[in-house]
Amino acid sequence: MSVAVMLFTADLRLHDQPALRAALRGADEVVPLFVLDRGIHRAGFDAPNRRAFLADCLAALDAGLRERGGRLVIRTGEVTEQVCRAVAESGARSVHVAGGVSAYAVRREDRLREALEAVRCALHVHDGVITALPPGRVTPTGRDHFAVFTPYFRRWQAAGLREAVAAPRTVPVPELAGHPLPRRTAVAGVSPGLARGGEPEARRRLRDWLADESGGIAAYERRHDDLPGDATSRLSPHLHFGTLSAAELVQRAHGKGGPGAEAFVRQLAWRDFHHQVLAARPDAAHADYRARGDHWRRNDKEIAAWKDGLTGCPIVDAAMRQLRHEGWIPGRARLLAASYLTKTLYTNWRIGARHFLDLLVDGDIADNQLNWQWAAGTGTDTRPNRVLDPLAQAKRFDPHGEYVRRWVPELAHLAGAAVHEPWKLDGLARAGLDYPDPLVEQAEGRARFERARGLD
């Protein structure tokens, strides 16, 4: 019987899984393989929140395969070595994997291709599994990628996406030894409010969000920046681990229609946009996409205060505390926290990006690094020197202070919008607060940034 290996990476699902369907079409049996990659550990990318969520995803994937007559084969070590070992043990003649865009993923594919060619085994890399539109599918004339979102989005909309494919009914798997599934409970240092992972949980969350007329996709256009309302989809961890398909999400959103669906699809296109930038410029994971001649300040006390949610700026502190508690925060809160660190404190974006990767369950190299660069003005933002005023943002997106009171309990007794400016309290009331003064006046921070960028 012919055998193929299906190497799962960031596509831990059975629904709309074209790489798995291709493996099943080309062989009588398939080895569904996941390698707990030591290279990821050495790179410091296996943060506790992502390891715990991954354990949920792998357990759910194994359960789904068992319902279809198969099972997930877990191995630990170097990916190339473990894939080649599975090929040798099963007699497989082909390996299927979803295409990635990070420098690490590209090197992994290159090493796999070279090693498999040596044993006369074909490697099939499937694009458009992790993103809705494959990176490089649309490009501007004379360039290898779009550097501005709006023209990219126009082409993205016109390109047309592939149709989602159904989950397979059966997955015949040959006898092959594997390691036990990792367990969420064995991971130390997990955020106490971390959400559950896995494809069934992802599809339940998607179903409920599509059906919710008051806070779901129908309300997304007007409420996605509503910090106290918590009206985002919270699907980003599932997109990162591939328990949901971006292509299917676009199709499901189009099926609902309306302004909310259109706004949500635009956010999915932003994700694809960042992936196509990183695919073309892999060094943007650590180097300025557009250098601005910055000479970043480094004040370790300020950095520690930002990480701990003790900056004295309540809206930023609320975001940072939610991040620590849940391993997730909504996009508006990410933007405010990033702008404050890079523009108000004038601190290197790489410090913030690293901290986010240490905690975010959806910590994706393309989205995280390029969004941080956007906030810092070193990325694709066409207005690189904009400085967000956190107080103005707080009054707009948390007008009654509910989000701040939820995450900064020291201020919970302050009524209404006064919670955003505790430094204005009189005498004894201010002295009785166990909450710090602002690290810097917003006007001072803005002036410092503008001097550094030569804008004064």
Side-chain angles (χ1 to χ4, degrees), residues 2 9 18 29-30 59 91 122 177 190 229 248 251 261 405 412 424:
S2 59
T9 55
E29 294 181 321
V30 171
V190 176
E248 182 186 1
Q251 292 175 19
R405 278 188 288 275
K424 289 187 174 181

Side-chain angles (χ1 to χ4, degrees), residues 57-394:
C57 295
L58 294 177
L61 181 58
D62 179 65
L65 287 165
R66 290 181 184 276
E67 291 172 0
R68 292 162 173 81
R71 72 193 189 288
L72 184 63
V73 177
I74 299 287
R75 296 288 176 88
T76 303
E78 302 296 335
V79 172
T80 299
E81 177 185 339
Q82 295 303 322
V83 170
C84 288
R85 184 171 295 177
V87 165
E89 292 172 4
S90 65
R93 305 315 307 161
S94 63
V95 173
H96 296 257
V97 65
V101 301
S102 69
Y104 186 87
V106 172
R107 288 195 301 269
R108 180 178 61 199
E109 290 172 14
D110 290 343
R111 288 194 296 265
L112 271 173
R113 186 173 290 105
E114 182 179 357
L116 292 172
E117 283 178 356
V119 294
R120 296 183 181 179
C121 182
L123 177 66
H124 301 282
V125 178
H126 298 267
D127 294 326
V129 178
I130 292 173
T131 55
L133 193 72
R137 175 67 62 83
V138 294
T139 56
T141 303
R143 298 196 63 192
D144 58 358
H145 73 290
F146 280 92
V148 178
F149 175 72
T150 300
Y152 172 79
F153 185 46
R154 286 196 293 265
R155 292 284 298 279
W156 185 92
Q157 288 179 300
L161 304 183
R162 63 171 178 79
E163 291 295 320
V165 298
R169 293 183 178 180
T170 61
V171 183
V173 177
E175 286 299 322
L176 207 67
H179 297 164
L181 289 164
R183 294 178 295 111
R184 179 187 179 112
T185 54
V187 182
V190 176
S191 293
L194 183 70
R196 302 295 304 185
E199 186 177 15
E201 173 64 18
R203 300 194 74 78
R204 180 200 64 78
R205 184 174 290 277
L206 172 61
R207 181 181 64 250
D208 292 348
W209 193 65
L210 290 175
D212 183 356
E213 295 297 327
S214 62
I217 196 170
Y220 186 78
E221 191 272 337
R222 68 179 187 275
R223 293 194 58 199
H224 68 279
D225 282 328
D226 175 4
L227 290 174
D230 191 19
T232 62
S233 70
R234 286 182 174 256
L235 295 176
S236 56
H238 296 287
L239 281 166
H240 174 64
F241 284 91
T243 52
L244 281 178
S245 152
E248 182 186 1
L249 279 183
V250 172
Q251 292 175 19
R252 297 285 294 275
H254 281 155
K256 290 292 291 187
E262 292 173 8
F264 181 62
V265 167
R266 185 178 178 88
Q267 291 303 308
L268 293 171
W270 264 108
R271 179 175 182 267
D272 278 11
F273 172 76
H274 286 148
H275 277 76
Q276 61 95 39
V277 171
L278 190 66
R281 298 290 184 272
D283 63 345
H286 54 82
D288 289 345
Y289 180 76
R290 291 191 175 108
R292 305 294 179 188
D294 288 301
H295 298 282
W296 302 106
R297 296 172 65 249
R298 177 160 187 133
N299 183 311
D300 289 340
K301 289 184 178 179
E302 290 182 354
I303 293 167
W306 177 80
K307 290 180 177 180
D308 293 338
L310 293 170
T311 67
C313 181
I315 194 72
V316 172
D317 292 342
M320 298 306 293
R321 295 186 195 191
Q322 183 184 13
L323 171 63
R324 190 172 294 278
H325 181 79
E326 293 189 5
W328 181 90
I329 46 175
R332 176 58 55 174
R334 298 183 197 208
L335 179 58
L336 293 180
S339 179
Y340 184 86
L341 185 72
T342 59
K343 299 287 181 62
T344 302
L345 299 182
Y346 195 51
T347 298
N348 195 323
W349 65 266
R350 297 163 184 82
I351 293 171
R354 179 69 259 176
H355 182 66
F356 269 35
L357 284 179
D358 287 342
L359 290 173
L360 281 174
V361 64
D362 60 3
D364 180 272
I365 288 293
D367 282 336
N368 187 68
Q369 308 303 87
L370 290 168
N371 271 314
W372 267 95
Q373 291 221 48
W374 192 95
T378 63
T380 62
D381 187 5
T382 55
R383 294 172 54 199
N385 297 314
R386 79 176 85 200
V387 179
L388 295 181
D389 182 338
L391 182 57
Q393 293 275 307

